[in-house]
Structure formats: C-alpha cells, structure tokens
C-alpha cells in the first residue's frame, strides 16, 4: 500500500523559506502514470493546490504562489520536496502531498494523500 | 481560473439519512470532477472520480452525478463514519477545489 508522509519544521519565521519533504513508501515516485502535488489548507479555510511535478520533471504552480514556489523530486530517496520562500503569516497552513493519476480516464484525480503537516509562520 | 462552488457549506443530518451535496463550476468542465472526504487528522480520501466513477474500496452508498457545470455527491444512507467534510475538485484546467461541505450530526 502506498504511503505518503510529510515532514519538516512546524515553525518558520516570517520572510524565511518553508521547506517540506514528502517521503513515499510502497511505490516509486518514478512512474509516468503519476504526478505529485502539494496542497495546503489554511486554518478554517478550504484546500488550495500549490503545485505539481510530473515524471518528466515538468512543474506547474498556482499563479498566486508561482514566484515563491519550488517543487522537486529526488528519485534516489523517493521523495518530493516543497520550498516556499518569503513566507508570511498567510502561509500558515496544513501542507499535504498527494499522488495524482496522470490520465484523463481517472480525471487526473489524487488517489493517495499524506496526512499533512501543520506549518506555522511566526516570529 | 475555474471557480468551484459547493452547497451547502454545512448540513446537519442523522444516521440513515440520504444526503446530497452539490458542486457548480464557473465554466464547462465536462466530467473532470472528483470528490474527496477529509476527516481532521486523517489523509483525504478519494471517493468519486470522473464525476461518477466510484474509487476502488469506497462503499456503494456513495455516488456521484452530473456533467458540464453541475455535479452532485450523494450518500444514500449516512453512516457514523461519514460525518466529515467533502470537497469537489475540478481538473479540467489546473486543479481547484470547492470550499467544502461539512456534514455534521444532527
């Protein structure tokens, strides 16, 4: 069974860079049938896609975050990373990673998710 | 951007009730619509993909319908474990979620 686990600092200071890792077990991230995404949920609000990365290395980002986001894949360690720079309190959220099925047959749905990790931006 | 609007934002229901949640897209998205269940402290769970196809392992009391701009998620007989928050997601252009519908115990 595929499992995704997010990890990283739970507290980040304003203006610094948030860095998270999504460790994948039970399957390889190197698979053309899937892509990998980061999603966040600010307190009391809904889900927001941050961005996604494909097996080719191609990335797409939420336009509202694009200038500050980097998503990368480390196939050697089987994990996907997120970096969000110049954070503010508005970036406080639960950050989750998910696997997407890269096929219109599956409507590109996310079939596995991590539990998420809370990141608070505060001095 | 394609906006997704769910209604209601919350509802109260009893075990055994039939519950329907609606999701409206700001433009035609065909059947590129997925439904997720999210219980606090747990990983979100895919329920329905491509508007009406039940994900493997999901109970048959869940069903999805619609196409174009209007979609529904129906729980035919609400069970205790179904009290949760439900999100629709469009994947026609990028990926955006509805704001969620919280199903609470009456």
């Amino acid at each position: 069974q595929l499992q995704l686990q997010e990890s990283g600092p739970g507290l980040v200071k304003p203006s610094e860079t948030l860095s998270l890792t999504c460790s994948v077990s039970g399957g390889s991230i190197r698979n053309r049938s899937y892509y990998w995404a980061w999603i966040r949920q600010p307190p009391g609000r809904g889900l927001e896609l941050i961005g996604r990365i494909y097996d080719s290395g191609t990335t797409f980002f939420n336009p509202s975050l694009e200038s500050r986001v980097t998503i990368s894949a480390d196939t050697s360690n089987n994990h996907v990373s997120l970096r969000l720079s110049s954070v503010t309190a508005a970036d406080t959220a639960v950050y989750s990673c998910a696997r997407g099925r890269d096929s219109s047959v599956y409507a590109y749905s996310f079939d596995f998710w991590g539990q998420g990790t809370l990141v608070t931006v505060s001095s | 951007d394609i906006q997704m609007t769910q209604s209601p934002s919350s509802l109260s229901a009893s075990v055994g009730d039939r519950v329907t949640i609606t999701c409206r897209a700001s433009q035609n998205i065909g059947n590129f619509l997925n439904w997720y269940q999210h219980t606090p402290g747990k990983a979100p769970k895919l329920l329905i993909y491509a508007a009406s196809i039940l994900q493997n392992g999901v109970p048959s009391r869940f069903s999805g319908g619609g196409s174009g701009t209007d979609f529904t998620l129906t729980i035919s007989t609400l069970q205790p474990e179904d009290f949760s928050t439900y999100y629709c997601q469009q994947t026609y252009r990028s990926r955006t979620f509805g704001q969620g519908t919280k199903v609470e115990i009456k």
Side-chain angles (χ1 to χ4, degrees):
Chain A
Q1 177 82 336
L2 195 76
Q3 292 189 322
L4 286 67
Q5 180 67 57
E6 304 87 352
S7 61
L11 181 64
V12 181
K13 290 182 168 55
S15 80
E16 295 189 346
T17 296
L18 177 160
S19 295
L20 295 174
T21 297
C22 174
S23 299
V24 179
S25 58
S28 174
I29 65 170
R30 193 72 198 272
N31 188 321
R32 293 181 182 179
S33 297
Y34 303 104
Y35 64 95
W36 303 89
W38 283 96
I39 302 101
R40 71 179 184 180
Q41 184 173 29
R45 298 181 61 182
L47 299 169
E48 177 185 40
L49 180 73
I50 299 169
R52 61 194 195 272
I53 184 167
Y54 289 81
D55 186 65
S56 63
T58 300
T59 52
F60 294 93
F61 302 115
N62 185 322
S64 68
L65 300 170
E66 186 165 15
S67 63
R68 300 192 289 131
V69 175
T70 303
I71 294 177
S72 59
D74 181 341
T75 54
S76 299
N77 292 299
N78 214 43
H79 67 230
V80 181
S81 298
L82 168 71
R83 289 172 58 85
L84 181 65
S85 64
S86 305
V87 299
T88 70
D91 294 310
T92 294
V94 173
Y95 286 76
S96 301
C97 57
R99 185 181 82 168
R101 297 185 290 192
D102 192 18
S103 170
S104 60
V105 170
Y106 298 107
Y108 308 108
S109 52
F110 297 155
D111 62 344
F112 284 95
W113 294 66
Q115 279 194 311
T117 186
L118 175 63
V119 178
T120 301
V121 179
S122 175
S123 55
Chain B
D1 287 5
I2 299 176
Q3 307 301 319
M4 306 301 294
T5 304
Q6 286 182 237
S7 61
S9 56
S10 66
L11 65 89
S12 296
S14 301
V15 172
D17 284 353
R18 181 183 181 89
V19 167
T20 297
I21 299 167
T22 65
C23 179
R24 174 164 288 177
S26 59
Q27 66 180 77
N28 189 334
I29 59 169
N31 70 338
F32 287 92
L33 190 285
N34 307 308
W35 290 98
Y36 301 89
Q37 177 191 59
H38 190 196
T39 303
K42 294 186 176 181
K45 178 182 178 182
L46 174 65
L47 300 174
I48 302 283
Y49 65 91
S52 62
I53 302 176
L54 196 67
Q55 171 70 357
N56 288 346
V58 174
S60 59
R61 63 181 180 273
F62 291 92
S63 63
S67 67
T69 60
D70 294 308
F71 302 88
T72 59
L73 172 70
T74 298
I75 309 172
S76 60
T77 308
L78 202 62
Q79 297 300 301
E81 60 268 31
D82 301 335
F83 292 98
S84 186
T85 301
Y86 295 85
Y87 293 90
C88 62
Q89 176 205 33
Q90 69 80 20
T91 56
Y92 179 79
R93 184 175 300 128
S94 187
R95 284 101 177 89
T96 51
F97 294 91
Q99 80 277 20
T101 295
K102 187 173 184 179
V103 177
E104 299 175 300
I105 301 173
K106 183 183 287 185

